[in-house]
Amino acid sequence: MSEDSIDDLIETLNSIRQEEFPEIPKELLEEIVRIERETIDDRELTQDRISNVIESHLSE
Amino acid sequence: MLQFNKIELEDFGPYKGRQSIEFPDQDGVTIVFGENMRGKTTLLNAIRYALFGKILGRGFREISPERFINWETKAEGKYSFSVTLYFEESGSEYELVRQFVPKDSVAIPNEDGDYTEEVYLIRDDSVTGPKERENELNRILPQQVSRFFLFDGELLQQYEELLVDESEMGQRIREAIERILGVPVLKNGRADLRSLLDEAQGQEQKAAQMSNQTNELGTLLEGATEKRNHLQSDFIDLSQELSDLQEQKSAKRNQLQQLEAARSLVERQEDLEGQLSDVEDQLEYKRDKLRDMMQESWRSVIQDTLQERLDVLEERRRELDKKRTRISVAKRLASRISDGLEKNECPICEQHLDEEAEDHLEQELRSFQGLTEEDTDPVDDYDLILQSINVLQNLAESNPAERIKSTLSEINELKAQRAVVNDEIGEIENSLESSKEERVTQLNTEYENIIGKISERERTIEDTESELIKTKENIQKLQSQLDQISGNQLEEERNRRELYDKLVELFDRGVDEYRDRLRQRVEQDASDIFIQLTTEPEYKHLQINENYGLTIIHEDGSEIRVRSAGAEHVVALALMGALQNNAPLKGPIIMDSPFGRLDESHVRNVVEALPRLADQVMLLVYKDEIDPETARELLKGKLRREYTLDRVTARHTNLKEGGMIQ
C-alpha cells in the first residue's frame, strides 16, 4: 500500500474527527493509520506501537 | 505500485530450457498469442507459482507442481523446474526465485513427497530471511487479492455471485474486494484499539479497587469485564471456527461439484445394488421353493404309469356304471313282470294274460333275473375303483414337474435380470475407478457433518452474542457509576480509557464511511468503463450493492434483471477496472483467454479499453479470440510488446518475441 493511497483513509477518519471528536489530534490518527499500514499480521507488535503513541500523547 | 519487469521459466510445463518474457517499461499492453495447448495458462500459472507457490487447474483445483516438470527434460533425467519473477515496488527492486527440486536424499523422484520447494527473495541485492520474505510478499501482493490481478474467463464468472445476498462465494469475493481497497487497515485499527480499550478498562478497574470508595464498583467491573473478555474471546473463536467451517463447506462443495457426475453414478450404483439385493432375495426364495418341490419330484417319474392306471380304472368305472344301470333297470322290470304274472295281467296294459303272453313274460323274467345275477357284488368293486381313482387323481394333480418347470423359468429370468444389473454395476465401477466412489461417499458424509457443525456453531454464536450484549450493558452501567467518583490515579486511567473509547468509535464509523465512499467510487468508475465496453446504447450505468455486486440500469431507470453471459463478463471486467482505479494496492493484470463469452464487437471494445484497466496488462490469447492485426489497430501505441508461443513438439513450446504473422 503506497504512501499516497492512505490519504483517502486518513481523510475519511479526519472528517469524522473534525465533526465529532475535535479533541483528538489529527496527527494521532495519522500515526495509528501508518502503524496499521506498515504491519500486516503481527497484532501484538501493532498494538504495542499504538499504545506507545497513545501514552506519549497522554503524557504531553 | 507493483510492476513486473521479467519472468523467467526453466523447464516449467512446456517451456523447456530457460525462457523469458520481458515486460516493457512503459505503461501498456503485452500480448502473448498462442494456440490451444501451447502453454498460455501455464504462463499465468508460472506467475502464480512464483508469487504464491500454487498452480491451479480447472475449477481452481490445486495441481501438484510435480506435473509441471517439463516432460522431455524429465525423460532426459532432470527432475526440476524454476520460475523467477523480477519486479519492483515502492522504489525497491526484487528478484523472486521459486524452484521445485528433488530432495537431496532422492536419486530418482517418483512422487510429490520426493520433492522440495526452494524460495528466495532478493530485495535490492539483499537476500531476505524466510519471515521477512513472507511478510514482504504478503504486503506487496496478498494471495487473497490475487484474483484481481491473475484471472481467466472462469474466474470472471464468479463475480455474478456478488449479486446473491447469501452466497458464500460472494462473501469471500467481497472480503477480497475490501482487502484490495484497503478496508482492513481501518478494520484492524478498530480491532487493535478495542483490545487496547479492554486493557485500559482493566487498568481503570484496578485503580478503582485501590480506593475504599470505589472498591466495590471496581471489583464488580473487574468481574463483568472478565466475563465480557471470556465471551468476546469465545465469540472470536466461534466466529473463526464458523468461518473455517464455511470455507471447508465451500471447498467440499467444490470437490463434490467436480465429482457430480461420479456422485450421480454412485447414486445409480446404490440404486442398482438395491435392485440386485431384491433379485437375490427373490432368487433365494425361488430356490427354496424349488428345493421343496424337488423333494416331491419322484412323483413325476410315475406320472405316466399313474395316468395309464387311472385311464384303466376310469374305463372300468364307466363299464360298471353301465352294468349297474342295466341291473337296476332289469330288477325293476323283473319285479313288475313278476307282479303281473302273479295277478295274471299285463304289467303295462293291465289286460288279462293269455297262455302265450304268460309264456313270453316268464321267458322275459328269467332273462332279467339272469342279468341281475351276472355280477354278484358290483357295489363293492365299484367303490374300490372310485377310491383308487381318487387316490391316483390326487397323486397326478400334485405332479411337481409343471411347477418345477415354471419355477425354473422364473429363476432363469431372475438370473438374467441379475446379470443385466451386474453388468451396469460393472460399467459404473469402471467409470468410477478414476473418481473413487468411496471418495464421493466420504465427501458427502463430510459435507453433511460440516453442515451440522455450522448450524451448531451458529446457535452457540447467537447465544454468546446475546450474553455479550447483556454483559456490555452491565459494564456500561457500572462504568457510569464509577465515572461519578473522582480520584487522581482513577482520573488518569479514566482519561486513557475515554481516549480509547473515542478512537474505537471513530474507527468504527470510519470503516462504514470509507466503505460507502469506496462503493460510490467503484460504482462510478465501473459505470464509466462499462459504458465504454458495452455495445448496448440503452444501458445507462451500473448500480452497486452492499457486496459490490453490480446491476445494469437501463436508460428508463429500470434494472436489467436477466443478463446474458457476455453482459456478465463485461460487468466483471468493468468491476476489475474500477477496483484497480480505487485500490491502494495496484499492480499488473494478467488475463488468460478472457473473451470466451464475448462477441466480436465486445472483444474489440474490451481490447480497446485494456490500457484503462491497469498500467501493465498482459493478455494471453489465441488468434481466434482477437487477431493480431486487429489488436495492433485497436491498441495503437499502447501495444508495447508481442510474444508468440511456437510449437516445437507436443511437450515443448518456445516463447518467441514478435507477433503472429497473419
Side-chain angles (χ1 to χ4, degrees):
Chain A
M1 202 168 165
S2 71
E3 190 71 23
D4 294 344
S5 60
I6 60 162
D7 289 352
D8 258 1
L9 296 175
I10 292 172
E11 193 195 313
T12 309
L13 288 175
N14 196 39
S15 65
I16 303 167
R17 181 196 70 83
Q18 280 174 324
E19 279 180 31
E20 308 279 331
F21 309 101
E23 66 279 18
I24 297 175
K26 185 186 175 194
E27 295 71 30
L28 186 61
L29 283 188
E30 287 178 351
E31 197 56 38
I32 295 171
V33 171
R34 278 182 218 292
I35 291 169
E36 287 294 344
R37 178 181 63 91
E38 283 163 15
T39 47
I40 304 290
D41 288 322
D42 196 338
R43 302 264 57 88
E44 206 177 325
L45 173 71
T46 315
Q47 285 171 20
D48 277 353
R49 290 180 65 188
I50 293 174
S51 170
N52 289 339
V53 170
I54 300 279
E55 288 312 311
S56 116
H57 165 72
L58 286 169
S59 64
E60 275 172 12
Chain B
M1 181 196 289
L2 170 65
Q3 187 173 341
F4 289 168
N5 294 330
K6 183 177 165 186
I7 180 154
E8 205 168 68
L9 309 113
E10 188 172 351
D11 300 323
F12 186 82
Y15 301 99
K16 189 183 177 187
R18 191 176 284 242
Q19 303 193 43
S20 62
I21 285 184
E22 293 204 21
F23 293 84
D25 293 339
Q26 311 103 309
D27 294 352
V29 181
T30 300
I31 303 188
V32 179
F33 292 103
E35 297 306 319
N36 286 334
M37 304 173 79
R38 288 284 74 81
K40 294 189 298 295
T41 305
T42 306
L43 275 179
L44 182 75
N45 263 321
I47 296 170
R48 190 181 275 127
Y49 182 73
L51 289 164
F52 315 116
K54 277 187 180 170
I55 298 172
L56 300 182
R58 281 189 191 285
F60 314 105
R61 269 180 302 112
E62 213 173 319
I63 303 174
S64 157
E66 195 266 335
R67 286 171 56 186
F68 274 74
I69 300 171
N70 180 264
W71 193 89
E72 290 184 0
T73 322
K74 207 171 173 182
E76 290 160 12
K78 189 186 169 215
Y79 304 92
S80 64
F81 68 71
S82 76
V83 181
T84 308
L85 187 64
Y86 299 86
F87 59 90
E88 52 193 84
E89 199 267 344
S90 300
S92 288
E93 295 211 339
Y94 294 84
E95 181 183 338
L96 173 62
V97 184
R98 200 179 289 264
Q99 46 195 33
F100 191 69
V101 292
K103 286 177 179 165
D104 288 340
S105 54
V106 180
I108 299 175
N110 285 315
E111 51 186 23
D112 283 1
D114 293 340
Y115 291 89
T116 184
E117 191 178 89
E118 292 173 357
V119 196
Y120 311 98
L121 179 69
I122 301 160
R123 185 185 52 213
D124 298 328
D125 297 328
S126 309
V127 177
T128 57
K131 182 75 186 163
E132 194 185 0
R133 180 185 70 226
E134 203 179 304
N135 284 341
E136 272 292 81
L137 290 176
N138 201 24
R139 181 186 65 78
I140 294 167
L141 188 61
Q143 197 180 328
Q144 296 92 322
V145 300
S146 64
R147 59 163 50 246
F148 306 114
F149 299 95
L150 316 173
F151 58 86
D152 57 13
E154 192 180 353
L155 197 77
L156 284 178
Q157 285 177 41
Q158 289 187 347
Y159 289 90
E160 295 164 39
E161 293 286 326
L162 289 169
L163 294 171
V164 185
D165 278 347
E166 299 298 319
S167 155
E168 282 168 36
M169 173 64 76
Q171 184 60 31
R172 287 217 303 274
I173 300 173
R174 177 195 152 137
E175 280 167 19
I177 289 175
E178 294 210 326
R179 188 159 181 137
I180 192 184
L181 291 174
V183 178
V185 170
L186 289 181
K187 282 165 84 178
N188 289 342
R190 180 177 61 184
D192 289 332
L193 287 164
R194 267 191 190 140
S195 290
L196 291 165
L197 169 65
D198 290 349
E199 273 178 38
Q201 280 175 331
Q203 291 302 319
E204 188 183 8
Q205 286 148 21
K206 280 198 176 66
Q209 282 173 314
M210 306 285 277
S211 144
N212 288 338
Q213 200 187 1
T214 55
N215 178 284
E216 195 187 340
L217 271 175
T219 310
L220 285 172
L221 250 175
E222 192 183 39
T225 308
E226 204 172 312
K227 186 179 175 187
R228 183 205 57 193
N229 290 346
H230 278 306
L231 286 167
Q232 253 165 2
S233 161
D234 287 353
F235 184 76
I236 290 166
D237 290 348
L238 285 163
S239 302
Q240 185 56 50
E241 279 176 34
L242 183 64
S243 160
D244 291 347
L245 283 167
Q246 271 160 346
E247 219 161 276
Q248 285 174 31
K249 180 186 158 195
S250 184
K252 291 273 180 272
R253 197 172 49 189
N254 278 345
Q255 290 171 313
L256 277 169
Q257 276 167 352
Q258 284 158 17
L259 293 171
E260 189 59 42
R263 188 164 62 158
S264 64
L265 282 178
V266 169
E267 278 166 14
R268 175 72 185 143
Q269 189 185 21
E270 282 168 2
D271 180 41
L272 286 169
E273 275 164 0
Q275 286 181 31
L276 188 65
S277 162
D278 287 349
V279 171
E280 294 283 8
D281 287 349
Q282 286 179 50
L283 262 174
E284 202 178 317
Y285 171 73
K286 297 281 178 198
R287 280 179 181 141
D288 284 347
K289 214 171 143 188
L290 185 65
R291 216 169 290 124
D292 292 343
M293 285 184 220
M294 290 306 274
Q295 285 174 0
E296 304 287 320
S297 62
W298 55 270
R299 287 179 181 173
S300 61
V301 179
I302 57 161
Q303 193 63 25
D304 290 344
T305 320
L306 208 64
Q307 197 56 51
E308 277 170 25
R309 180 70 188 138
L310 254 177
D311 291 346
V312 170
L313 284 171
E314 279 291 344
E315 186 57 35
R316 175 76 182 135
R317 183 185 62 79
R318 277 193 295 275
E319 279 171 16
L320 281 175
D321 266 347
K322 280 182 199 166
K323 193 174 175 182
R324 291 177 74 186
T325 310
R326 218 166 43 237
I327 290 168
S328 164
V329 170
K331 272 184 179 171
R332 278 203 305 275
L333 287 172
S335 163
R336 284 176 70 178
I337 290 169
S338 176
D339 286 350
L341 285 171
E342 255 177 47
K343 292 177 190 168
N344 199 27
E345 59 183 34
C346 173
I348 297 159
C349 63
E350 296 179 344
Q351 284 187 3
H352 181 73
L353 295 172
D354 58 19
E355 199 171 327
E356 190 184 353
E358 201 171 327
D359 287 344
H360 176 72
L361 282 176
E362 277 173 358
Q363 266 180 9
E364 284 286 311
L365 181 63
R366 277 194 295 276
S367 141
F368 288 132
Q369 280 170 339
L371 273 175
T372 57
E373 286 159 6
E374 200 175 87
D375 193 337
T376 51
D377 197 9
V379 176
D380 286 348
D381 197 14
Y382 188 78
D383 287 346
L384 195 67
I385 286 168
L386 274 186
Q387 276 175 22
S388 301
I389 286 174
N390 204 21
V391 169
L392 291 178
Q393 263 175 348
N394 277 342
L395 281 172
E397 275 168 16
S398 65
N399 171 22
E402 279 308 314
R403 283 185 295 135
I404 287 173
K405 210 169 145 188
S406 137
T407 307
L408 276 172
S409 149
E410 284 168 4
I411 285 175
N412 286 336
E413 202 175 309
L414 286 169
K415 279 182 179 172
Q417 266 184 45
R418 185 177 62 179
V420 170
V421 173
N422 266 329
D423 275 357
E424 200 178 338
I425 289 175
E427 276 173 28
I428 289 174
E429 277 172 353
N430 285 340
S431 308
L432 287 175
E433 203 176 352
S434 57
S435 52
K436 311 265 187 231
E437 70 272 32
E438 297 96 346
R439 180 78 190 122
V440 179
T441 317
Q442 188 195 346
L443 271 175
N444 266 324
T445 315
E446 288 170 1
Y447 185 69
E448 294 301 324
N449 284 343
I450 289 170
I451 287 176
K453 281 183 190 168
I454 284 176
S455 48
E456 187 197 310
R457 292 295 184 292
E458 282 172 342
R459 278 196 300 274
T460 320
I461 284 175
E462 209 173 297
D463 294 346
T464 311
E465 203 173 13
S466 124
E467 190 61 26
L468 193 58
I469 290 168
K470 278 187 213 155
T471 312
K472 279 180 179 171
E473 283 168 357
N474 188 28
I475 289 173
Q476 228 167 2
K477 215 182 290 169
L478 291 166
Q479 192 74 60
S480 67
Q481 285 176 35
L482 192 63
D483 285 350
Q484 311 298 316
I485 307 161
S486 58
N488 272 348
Q489 176 70 23
L490 195 57
E491 203 74 32
E492 201 179 301
E493 298 300 343
R494 183 179 299 154
N495 287 342
R496 179 178 290 104
R497 190 257 305 157
E498 280 175 354
L499 177 59
Y500 278 120
D501 236 344
K502 286 173 187 168
L503 283 167
V504 167
E505 201 184 328
L506 204 158
F507 269 73
D508 203 23
R509 291 188 44 195
V511 170
D512 292 341
E513 200 145 311
Y514 187 59
R515 272 188 180 139
D516 287 346
R517 281 188 187 202
L518 285 173
R519 260 195 286 271
Q520 282 171 20
R521 280 194 228 147
V522 169
E523 182 183 82
Q524 185 58 52
D525 286 351
S527 292
D528 291 348
I529 299 171
F530 177 73
I531 295 304
Q532 195 185 340
L533 299 183
T534 185
T535 53
E536 176 49 66
E538 288 179 20
Y539 290 166
K540 198 177 175 200
H541 66 98
L542 295 174
Q543 186 176 292
I544 201 161
N545 70 10
E546 284 290 305
N547 295 328
Y548 303 88
L550 293 163
T551 307
I552 302 170
I553 304 296
H554 188 268
E555 62 183 5
D556 66 10
S558 63
E559 289 180 10
I560 305 296
R561 293 192 179 274
V562 180
R563 51 200 202 194
S564 69
E568 292 291 354
H569 211 100
V570 170
V571 170
L573 284 166
L575 176 64
M576 291 289 186
L579 291 176
Q580 283 277 341
N581 284 354
N582 291 284
L585 212 160
K586 289 184 169 63
I589 283 183
I590 319 290
M591 304 162 93
D592 175 25
S593 303
F595 304 134
R597 297 159 97 191
L598 300 181
D599 57 36
E600 198 189 329
S601 310
H602 277 105
V603 170
R604 290 177 70 92
N605 287 355
V606 172
V607 171
E608 215 166 9
L610 284 178
R612 264 197 81 179
L613 296 184
D615 290 346
Q616 231 182 3
V617 176
M618 184 161 90
L619 189 59
L620 306 161
V621 283
Y622 57 97
K623 68 173 183 188
D624 287 348
E625 280 185 288
I626 176 90
D627 71 77
E629 204 48 57
T630 311
R632 286 172 207 138
E633 175 205 318
L634 292 168
L635 288 166
K636 299 184 182 78
K638 284 288 182 184
L639 177 58
R640 302 292 184 187
R641 199 158 287 173
E642 290 177 53
Y643 283 88
T644 308
L645 303 182
D646 262 6
R647 179 190 181 276
V648 180
T649 68
R651 287 151 172 162
H652 183 175
T653 294
N654 272 346
L655 266 164
K656 195 184 91 186
E657 194 176 342
M660 225 173 215
I661 298 158
Q662 283 295 286

